[in-house]
Amino acid sequence: MKFSTITQSVLLAALSTAALARPLAENKTIVKRAGADDWRDRSIYQILTDRFATGGSDSGDCGSLSGYCGGTFKGVVSQLDYIAGMGFDAIWISPIPANSPNGYHGYWATDFNAINENFGSSEDLKALVDAAHDKGMYVMLDVVPNHSGPTNGDYSGYTFDSPSNYHTECSINYDDQKSIEQCWVADELPDHNTEDDGVVSKLNDILSNWITTYGFDGIRIDTVKHVRMDYWGQYQAAGGVFATGEVFHGDPKYVGPYQQQLDSLLNFPLYYAIQETFKSGGSMSRLSGALQSNRDSFSDVSVLTNFVDNHDVVRFLNTNKDISQLKNALALVLLAEGIPVVYYGTEQEYAGGADPANREVLWTSGYNTDSDLYKFIATINNKVRQKSGKKVVMDVDVGDSTYAFVHGDALVVLNNLGSGGSSEVTVNVGSNIADNTALTDAISGTEVTVSGGSVKFAIKDGLPAVFVSGSSK
C-alpha cells in the first residue's frame, strides 16, 4: 500500500511438492492448503474488488474514484471466465474487513471480524472462493496487519478498541527503521502495537480464522516494512499458506532479508529495473544487473511476485504510450523467474496515473476479450507458460537493446526498440537449445532454426519474440 501523502526516500538501513501449471480446462476443485511450491508455477491476476465487476448491469463510469464504485464478490464470480481466458490460474482480491468511510480499497479496517458489506456477505465471499477453486484457480487474500483505518481517536467498533493497542502517533522518518515500523503511515493510520503479545495473538487469530473459514490459498501482506521484521514468520505460520509481502523499496539488499521470515516478496527491485529498461529506454544491462542483484540478496527468486503495474504505482502506459514496450515488459513478467502478477485493466490498455486514477472501474471496457493486450497475455499464458514447464534460465544473451532467456523449451527475446523499431539480430543460445531445433514465434509466427548455437531473425515493430518448439508448417 502506498499513499500519495507519503514521501518515499532511499533507505539505507542495516537489516540484517512442486506443482506444474495445468490447463484451467481441467477444472480441478482445490481442497488442500497451498504452500510456496504450489504457487511457484501459478500466474496471478490482481483485482481491486470494488473496481472489477458489480455482478449486475455493469454500465457507466464511477462518479468518484475516491469512494466506492460498486464492485462486489458476486461481480468477481461473474467474470472468472474472463480471467481464465487469459490463462490466469490465481486471483488476488482486496482486503475483506469492514472499513472506515471511503475505504473502497480495503486498507482501512475497523472491525477485522466483519466483512465489508460493500463487497457482499460472508456467504458471497465463500461462494467466490468455491467458484474459483472449481475452475482450478487459487485465491490470494490481501491482508493488513500493520494498521487500522483512520479515526479521530474514537476506537468504538474497532477490533483494536483501545489506544494501548497502538503505537504512539508520530510521523515517519524514512531514514530511521524504528520510526518506519512504529510511526503512523500517512500520518493518519493507527499503527498496531505489534510489540504487545495480546495484539500479536489477536492478529494471528484473525488471519487463521480467515483461512479456515473461507479456504484462501495464499496471502499478500501489506506494508511489511512498517512492522518489525521478526514478527512475520509467526504471522505467516498462523495462516499456514503461501505469503508474499509488500516491502515498497527498490534496493534488494533492503528487501531481501525479509525472505528469512516470509515465503516471498513483491519484486519491487525488478519493478524499478523494468521501468528504467522498457519505459525509459535504458540498457538491458540494467535489467540483467537487477536480476543478478536479486539472486545475491534473496534466498529464492523463483517465488518472488513480479509485476509491471499495481494499485500503488502509476500505470506503465500513463507515461509511456508504447504498446510494444509494454508487451516486452509483460513477456518478462509472465515468463521470467518468479511468479507473475498482472494488474486488472492492463489487458485493456488502462493508463491511470497516481492513485486513485490507477484504480479505474473495469466494466467500462466491456470485458473485451478481443483487445490486443488481452490476446497477447492469453497467448503467453496459454501457449507458452502452461505448456513449456517452469525451468528458467535467465541472461542467455544480453545485448544493449536485446535480452534473451529460456523458459522451459521456449526462447524469449526481449527488446526495447519501441513501436516501429526493427533490427536483424543474432541471439546466442549456447547449449540451452540444441542445434537444428525448429522454433516458431508464438507472437508473430516467425520460424527459425538453431544453428551453431544461435538463431537469426528480424525484430519487427519492437515486439518481443517468444519462440516455442516446432514449425507451423
Side-chain angles (χ1 to χ4, degrees):
M1 179 187 68
K2 181 178 78 68
F3 291 83
S4 58
T5 54
I6 298 175
T7 301
Q8 296 292 338
S9 61
V10 177
L11 305 176
L12 296 175
L15 298 169
S16 350
T17 227
L20 292 177
R22 60 185 180 281
L24 295 177
E26 292 183 13
N27 289 347
K28 292 183 178 178
T29 301
I30 296 165
V31 295
K32 78 179 195 65
R33 289 193 174 185
D37 283 343
D38 302 296
W39 277 87
R40 198 181 306 274
D41 295 332
R42 294 278 163 167
S43 187
I44 304 169
Y45 184 79
Q46 182 194 352
I47 292 167
L48 287 191
T49 304
D50 180 65
R51 304 298 159 88
F52 181 67
T54 68
S57 55
D58 297 332
S59 62
D61 210 340
C62 182
S64 171
L65 292 179
S66 296
Y68 286 95
C69 294
T72 64
F73 299 135
K74 287 182 178 179
V76 177
V77 173
S78 73
Q79 295 297 337
L80 286 176
D81 286 341
Y82 169 85
I83 299 169
M86 285 180 281
F88 292 106
D89 46 17
I91 56 172
W92 153 8
I93 65 172
S94 301
I96 58 176
N99 264 231
S100 296
N102 292 322
Y104 68 89
H105 39 64
Y107 297 110
W108 294 350
T110 54
D111 184 352
F112 282 79
N113 296 307
I115 297 298
N116 190 329
E117 294 179 350
N118 294 278
F119 299 161
S121 66
S122 176
E123 290 71 24
D124 294 337
L125 179 55
K126 290 177 182 177
L128 165 57
V129 176
D130 287 345
H133 285 174
D134 286 346
K135 291 183 178 294
M137 287 182 175
Y138 282 171
V139 181
M140 174 177 283
L141 175 67
D142 207 331
V143 296
V144 193
N146 174 67
H147 58 262
S148 289
T151 176
N152 59 5
D154 179 7
Y155 294 104
S156 300
Y158 279 56
T159 298
F160 299 95
D161 57 4
S162 168
S164 65
N165 295 152
Y166 302 93
H167 291 125
T168 302
E169 183 175 359
C170 53
S171 297
I172 296 174
N173 173 3
Y174 280 96
D175 292 321
D176 180 349
Q177 187 61 31
K178 184 176 180 180
S179 176
I180 292 170
E181 294 170 2
Q182 297 191 7
C183 290
W184 291 24
V185 171
D187 291 328
E188 66 173 352
L189 299 180
D191 197 79
H192 295 151
N193 182 5
T194 46
E195 285 70 40
D196 181 275
D197 289 343
V199 172
V200 165
S201 178
K202 188 175 289 187
L203 286 169
N204 293 351
D205 288 345
I206 290 166
L207 176 60
S208 178
N209 181 61
W210 284 337
I211 302 300
T212 300
T213 300
Y214 299 105
F216 297 113
D217 308 286
I219 56 174
R220 178 267 187 187
I221 308 174
D222 187 63
T223 46
V224 164
K225 73 180 181 184
H226 293 283
V227 178
R228 58 185 172 90
M229 188 186 298
D230 61 2
Y231 167 60
W232 292 119
Q234 63 175 292
Y235 188 73
Q236 176 177 286
V241 294
F242 174 73
T244 186
E246 179 210 34
V247 177
F248 201 138
H249 199 283
D251 186 351
K253 293 180 181 178
Y254 180 94
V255 184
Y258 286 90
Q259 204 174 24
Q260 298 169 13
Q261 300 289 325
L262 296 171
D263 291 324
S264 165
L265 285 308
L266 291 173
N267 200 344
F268 273 98
L270 181 60
Y271 163 78
Y272 287 109
I274 288 172
Q275 300 302 301
E276 293 175 27
T277 302
F278 298 108
K279 200 172 183 178
S280 303
S283 171
M284 289 292 181
S285 62
R286 170 69 173 97
L287 179 62
S288 178
L291 291 165
Q292 184 57 55
S293 294
N294 276 357
R295 293 183 207 108
D296 293 340
S297 301
F298 293 93
S299 58
D300 186 357
V301 295
S302 73
V303 291
L304 300 181
T305 41
N306 302 332
F307 62 97
V308 175
D309 292 328
N310 74 21
H311 61 297
D312 283 333
V313 298
V314 170
R315 288 187 185 266
F316 186 100
L317 291 177
N318 181 261
T319 54
N320 185 334
K321 306 297 185 184
D322 195 313
I323 298 296
S324 290
Q325 294 280 39
L326 177 55
K327 286 182 176 179
N328 278 276
L330 285 169
L332 175 70
V333 163
L334 289 166
L335 295 174
E337 55 193 7
I339 301 170
V341 181
V342 174
Y343 184 45
Y344 85 98
T346 297
E347 75 279 6
Q348 300 297 346
E349 299 185 17
Y350 278 19
D355 72 82
N358 58 351
R359 301 173 179 183
E360 311 95 320
V361 297
L362 191 61
W363 47 84
T364 56
S365 73
Y367 305 98
N368 181 10
T369 57
D370 286 325
S371 73
D372 182 30
L373 286 174
Y374 183 100
K375 292 188 289 187
F376 175 81
I377 293 168
T379 295
I380 293 183
N381 263 336
N382 292 323
K383 293 185 178 181
V384 184
R385 184 176 179 86
Q386 291 188 18
K387 292 184 178 180
S388 62
K390 192 57 175 68
K391 181 181 179 181
V392 177
V393 181
M394 304 303 293
D395 290 351
V396 167
D397 192 8
V398 182
D400 186 54
S401 58
T402 58
Y403 180 92
F405 65 99
V406 171
H407 180 112
D409 61 4
L411 171 66
V412 185
V413 184
L414 310 176
N415 73 85
N416 61 359
L417 299 176
S419 297
S422 62
S423 179
E424 295 284 340
V425 296
T426 299
V427 177
N428 296 311
V429 300
S431 61
N432 292 288
I433 302 176
D435 272 4
N436 301 315
T437 299
L439 301 170
T440 301
D441 181 12
I443 308 301
S444 69
T446 297
E447 297 183 355
V448 298
T449 300
V450 180
S451 176
S454 66
V455 297
K456 297 180 180 181
F457 72 101
I459 294 173
K460 297 180 180 179
D461 200 28
L463 292 171
V466 184
F467 291 105
V468 295
S469 296
S471 169
S472 61
K473 296 179 180 178

